[in-house]
Amino acid sequence: MKYTSTRDNSLSVSSATAISQGISKEGGLFVPESFPQFSLERISSMVSMPYVQRAKEILREYLTDFTEEELNYCVEGAYEASKFSSEKIAPTVNINKNENILELWHGPTCAFKDMALQLLPYLMTVSAKKAASGKEIVILVATSGDTGKAALEGFKNVENTRILVFYPVDGVSKMQKLQMATQEGENVAVCAIEGNFDDAQSAVKAIFTNDEIKSKLAQKNMMFSSANSINWGRLVPQIVYYFSAYCDLAEQGRISVGDEINVVVPTGNFGNILAAYYAKKMGLPIKKLICASNSNNVLTDFLTTGVYNKNRKFYTTTSPSMDILISSNLERLLYHISGNDDSLIGDLMNKLANDGKYAVNDTMLSAIKADFAAGFADEASVKNTIKKYKYLLDPHTAVAVKVYEDYVNNTGDDIPTVIDSTASPYKFPKSVYSALFDGKDFDGDEFETLEELSRVSETEVPAPIKALKNKPVRFKEVCRKDNMSEMVFKLLKL
């Protein structure tokens, strides 16, 4: 298996190069040159497997330059049972008729990013030895909330790596902020920026492709890489849990292997739903990929009209990980549906950078509509959805559930469906409590609210969140978005 770039398909590199580099030199994203095909017979054989074995089945096809011993080391280390609060790692739970919740938040930071970011440090370490000439790798991360903590936790004290995380100072929940600010590890640093996630993400991409900055790092035997989903090593593990969820439904007798399912994903940066698209391309019987947005509904508009326009009002919502107007992974989808037209992708991305918008042609829009449906949920709808379900939903999951309900009402398509639950509700205790009680806030701090939410919902506060209460705050830096490159050198102490 080789990888090429969305903006230069003359490239053909190994998975180790794609993972250690993170992003292609000209700014494009690495994509597989082909998709391995899984027959129904092979999917059937995975039904009785535990999650670790399912992961190996998928990853083996993409990481062909990894030995079997290296693959075992990576996968078994990442999904070691003590790191997850469920023995299933990512269990699929039925909540209503054909609605099945894929719980992706049983890892150490209580968010779906753990599913990939527990594995990425292992992949990065092995890849660096193969393709990075022994350089120290500097992981540079922009986060809208969950990626930052999951990356910090995954990479803490990993040899020959440092990790720097930037987050919008007013764009994450208090619990998310506390998770990052208290992070342990000798090789980690965190800084807030004055701006939103898109500002942080754009600045990180600019730093990645800045030759002067890269040269300064090279002089210190360092190189940049990414833990955002622009890195193939972040994206490929996410394919696994869609196969796993399908196998769970078959194991539970809710479907027979070969039956189609729908998949609903709350997404801002488009990586999580892109992984489901890749699973479909590999032969997993997915009928529709339903993209769920919050009030920042740039993806809903694009997937229904073919026009991407980030020139719109930005909303700060109760689902902050989706407060995004520039969806980086969409570039990969555009590349595939354009017939691998790298020059077209470069042109579209230039239009986005310069004008804030672009439009795809009718052929590409038809390809999008064949696989995708889209909808969004405003803040009032999110609150109402949290309130009406006995199953405790975080705001991001509530967005997905509401969009799914609307989809079924509009289409009548109520086949068995997997709905991604991307974060524990206890990462957003104030918002969830307020939704349950008609906008009434609990008169207490974040940790008192946690305990009250646990009491009224008869559910457990996850241990990693409960443990935050007495952890000292280590990181208080704040910088301007135009000062991030200088902050990188300051945090690296260079």
Side-chain angles (χ1 to χ4, degrees), residues 238-239 242-243 260-267 270-282 284-293 299-300 303-304 333 337 367-375 400 403-404 407 413 415-420:
Q238 296 179 262
I239 299 171
Y242 292 107
F243 276 87
E260 287 189 319
I261 64 168
N262 289 328
V263 173
V264 188
V265 185
T267 188
F270 206 74
N272 205 2
I273 197 166
L274 182 70
Y277 172 79
Y278 283 169
K280 181 175 182 178
K281 296 278 280 185
M282 294 167 63
L284 194 67
I286 296 174
K287 181 181 178 183
K288 278 289 183 185
L289 299 155
I290 302 165
C291 180
S293 299
L299 283 169
T300 307
L303 294 172
T304 53
L333 177 67
I337 64 172
I368 289 168
K369 289 187 173 182
D371 288 325
F372 291 88
V403 169
Y404 169 72
Y407 172 81
D413 180 16
I415 64 173
T417 297
V418 169
I419 303 171
D420 282 10

Side-chain angles (χ1 to χ4, degrees), residues 19 109 116-126 128 137-141 147-165 183-189 225-228 231 233-234:
I19 291 167
T109 77
L117 283 165
Q118 282 300 300
L119 181 60
L120 181 59
Y122 290 91
L123 298 180
M124 188 75 75
T125 301
V126 174
I137 294 179
V138 178
I139 310 294
L140 195 56
V141 178
T147 291
K149 172 59 181 178
L152 289 162
E153 190 64 26
F155 279 96
K156 73 176 181 185
N157 296 328
V158 172
E159 287 187 9
N160 296 316
T161 65
R162 299 200 210 179
I163 177 165
L164 313 180
V165 170
Q183 178 64 47
E184 299 166 346
E186 296 302 310
N187 63 335
V188 308
S225 192
S226 172
N228 286 91
N231 189 317
R234 239 298 295 281

Side-chain angles (χ1 to χ4, degrees), residues 13-80:
V13 304
S14 67
S15 71
T17 297
I19 291 167
S20 58
Q21 212 171 299
I23 190 171
S24 188
K25 291 178 181 178
E26 80 293 332
L29 306 185
F30 289 113
V31 291
E33 292 184 346
S34 61
F35 292 99
Q37 294 303 299
F38 275 61
S39 66
L40 294 180
E41 184 179 9
R42 188 170 181 188
I43 294 170
S44 292
S45 74
M46 295 170 63
V47 171
S48 60
M49 294 179 183
Y51 192 89
V52 167
Q53 291 303 118
R54 292 171 181 173
K56 289 178 185 178
E57 286 290 308
I58 303 300
L59 295 171
R60 186 179 290 117
E61 301 294 332
Y62 285 104
L63 308 176
T64 55
D65 51 331
F66 281 52
T67 67
E68 196 69 15
E69 184 180 24
E70 288 168 339
L71 184 69
N72 290 340
Y73 162 74
C74 292
V75 176
E76 291 170 11
Y79 302 120
E80 201 270 317

